[in-house]
Amino acid sequence: MADTDAIPVEAVVDLLRAASAEQEVDVDALLAETDLPELAAARVGHELRRLRSTSDRWRRRGQELAALFSSARELAQLRDVDELLGRLVERAHDLVGTDVTYLSEFDADSQELRVRTTLGTVAPSFLGLRVPPGMGLASQVVEGRRPSWTSRYTTMTQVPHDSAIDAAVAAEGLVSLLGVPLLAGDEVIGVLFAANRVEHAFSPDEVSLLSAFADHAAIVLQTARLLARTQESADETRRAYGELARHVEAMERASEVHSDLTSLVLQGGEAPDVATALGRALRCDVELLDTGRLDPSLADAVDRSRRSGRCASAGDGSYAVAVLAGPALLGALLLTQGELEFGPVELRTAERAAQITALLKLKQDAMIEAEQRVRGDLLADMLSDDADRRAGLATRARARGIRLDELRSAVVVSVPAERRREAVRALRRNGGPVGEHADRVVALTADPDPGVAGARVHATVSRAVRVPVLAVGAGFAEAAGDLRGQVEAASACVRILPSLGLSDTAVTVDEYLPYTALFGPGEARVATYVRRVLGPVLDWDAEHAGKLLPTLAAYLAHRMSPVATARVLHLHKNTVLQRLERAAELLGADWQEPDRLFRITVAVRLVQLTKGP
């Protein structure tokens, strides 16, 4: 090189520093200071700018790689898949610098892609967008397992377009798109997209950078998914183990209860002991309920248990189980949850305990029934007209713990024959003499008010038999004196109530005194009276299948109006008048005179009541 082309060392150092500097340096100014010929200065300037461009590219590449590895380290620390997807898109967005970045998840079963996470989007419809198989740029990435891009999406012809996808892209205003696959081995798990709202030709560096990030992200995402599945499997295993341990523990408790209950039966235990043993084993409060005294919510739970034979929820974590002997309800167990949660084994244990309770109660009831049978015999003797059977009643009653001088009311109960035994069993808890008498159930109580006595007996029997119940109370002064008469009067009242339209109620004898007077002892006289007053009419109806008596009853009940009578009987007025003329012929012309009419009216009513519904 000629001396004129020599460059001072300091100038060379400045030029090299300018080529490697991070900030822009005026190379021409530096060359002007060297006094190089113009051609030589141009050559040196060109090489310096090329060197600087290369340096800038490698510096930028180094920064991108540093950011890439930094993002990879950050993503590797995440375990929640949803959080990881969001952070992945956020880091890709910062790294590439496009307007919009989003990730579509690939479903291997349906071969669909679904937009899972986005950043930079404005259209709400874009998130969740589904890409059918073979459609759009995304499907091209999946099928080719390599990056694909377009500088103008609307003019892309390499793959078919889908109208729904085109509409979503247009709504978001996207023009240029770059998609790179997320690969786990040969498996595509998703596609990462970078998009701009302007036309843009993606450079190889941009494609390479996003692909490298996608490779790291795919590994991290697949690892997170595997860890999540492993965690789920571990959690499921722990849950299964916990459930197994709880089941074994429950079975051990059930075995303990079974052993305790067996001992109770063999050692002559009683029903309340079952509740104690069950509560101790299940670590909860257990109460043996008397079904005669339940609030509505408990009564409903017991009724549901009675129908199903299983435990029924009573609210607030409590369960009721009916104690049954066939169709008969003997009581119920109420379990209030304690430190243990009730599961199928615990409830089944309670149901078995209810069966043992029923056995013990039946045994206890058998003993009580033997005692009550004696008391029933005592009641029969009290109501007998045999003086010998009534002898020594007070002494025999005291031997059974009954003081006859304390009894003040008798209640006669009418229930179907197949339910009388159940009604007697329910009333035995009251303590007084109870038994069957003349196809009725009779109970003696210490209530001084027969109305109160009747209401209590009616409620007790109704809960036990669950059918309509008629109960008539009658007060008496002395059990050995007027008891029989009051029971007969109450029985007569029970017999006549259905004719008055009453089938499920509690009344007293005094409330229906006129009827009990007519239909009590000496009822044969009533039949004689009816025969004497209405005999000709009754005979006519019997011989001619006539309707004189019903017509006469309707006539008297409707103020002796032929028009009203015809209306209620659905007859013509002339037909009614003809029947009344026939009745007048049979009863006599004076049958509508006040005294005769009163006696005829009473007789007609008596016939209606004795026939009944």
Side-chain angles (χ1 to χ4, degrees), residues 39 281 300 305 345 368 386 441 466 613:
L39 182 60
D300 176 67
S305 175
V345 175
I368 295 174
D386 186 341
V441 175
R466 297 179 181 274

Side-chain angles (χ1 to χ4, degrees), residues 101-116:
T101 308
Y102 63 95
L103 185 144
S104 294
E105 190 174 31
F106 182 65
D107 188 333
D109 294 329
S110 66
Q111 297 291 302
E112 281 188 338
L113 282 156
R114 179 171 66 90
V115 176
R116 180 76 179 269

Side-chain angles (χ1 to χ4, degrees), residues 32 73 98 112 144 275 300 320 342 400 438 495 551 557 570 581 587:
R73 285 194 299 270
T98 50
E112 281 188 338
D300 176 67
F342 291 151
R400 297 298 170 186
R495 192 166 57 250
T551 303
H570 305 289
E581 289 176 2
L587 297 174

Side-chain angles (χ1 to χ4, degrees), residues 292-525:
R293 297 177 178 86
L294 294 177
D295 61 60
S297 61
L298 279 181
D300 176 67
V302 172
D303 187 58
R304 284 186 280 115
S305 175
R306 180 181 187 178
R307 293 195 303 269
S308 67
R310 298 299 188 120
C311 289
S313 174
D316 296 329
S318 298
Y319 285 86
V321 55
V323 177
L324 300 172
L329 180 64
L330 306 182
L333 294 174
L334 177 64
L335 288 75
T336 302
Q337 187 168 296
E339 58 183 277
L340 290 177
E341 182 179 355
F342 291 151
V345 175
E346 287 78 11
L347 297 181
R348 182 59 179 157
T349 302
E351 292 160 7
R352 291 187 179 276
Q355 295 173 352
I356 300 297
T357 304
L359 289 175
L360 294 178
K361 286 185 71 68
L362 285 175
K363 175 185 174 183
Q364 185 179 2
D365 286 351
M367 298 174 62
I368 295 174
E369 188 169 352
E371 173 64 22
Q372 288 295 340
R373 189 176 297 112
V374 176
R375 294 191 175 204
D377 293 341
L378 180 64
L379 177 64
D381 291 343
M382 294 170 66
L383 298 177
S384 174
D385 55 3
D386 186 341
D388 293 337
R389 293 182 61 180
R390 296 198 304 275
L393 279 176
T395 302
R396 284 185 285 147
R398 278 197 300 272
R400 297 298 170 186
I402 300 173
R403 296 184 59 87
L404 296 183
D405 57 345
E406 294 179 354
L407 300 177
R408 288 292 177 267
S409 295
V411 181
V412 176
V413 182
S414 174
V415 293
E418 66 273 11
R419 297 298 180 91
R420 286 179 197 152
R421 185 181 182 86
E422 196 171 347
V424 171
R425 184 184 296 113
L427 290 172
R428 282 173 181 165
R429 301 187 183 95
N430 294 339
V434 179
E436 294 186 43
H437 175 73
D439 297 332
R440 300 283 189 267
V441 175
V442 179
L444 305 184
T445 77
D447 289 304
D449 185 343
V452 173
R456 288 178 178 171
V457 168
H458 178 270
T460 300
V461 176
S462 295
R463 282 192 296 268
V465 301
R466 297 179 181 274
V467 296
V469 174
L470 281 176
V472 178
F476 58 87
E478 295 182 2
D482 58 346
L483 173 61
R484 282 191 303 148
Q486 291 299 324
V487 170
E488 289 181 357
S491 298
C493 190
V494 165
R495 192 166 57 250
I496 201 62
L497 287 178
S499 299
L500 301 176
L502 301 175
S503 60
D504 188 7
T505 188
V507 300
T508 65
V509 167
D510 292 342
E511 292 178 77
Y512 291 88
L513 186 60
Y515 296 105
T516 56
L518 285 172
F519 295 98
E523 185 179 338
R525 293 178 300 169

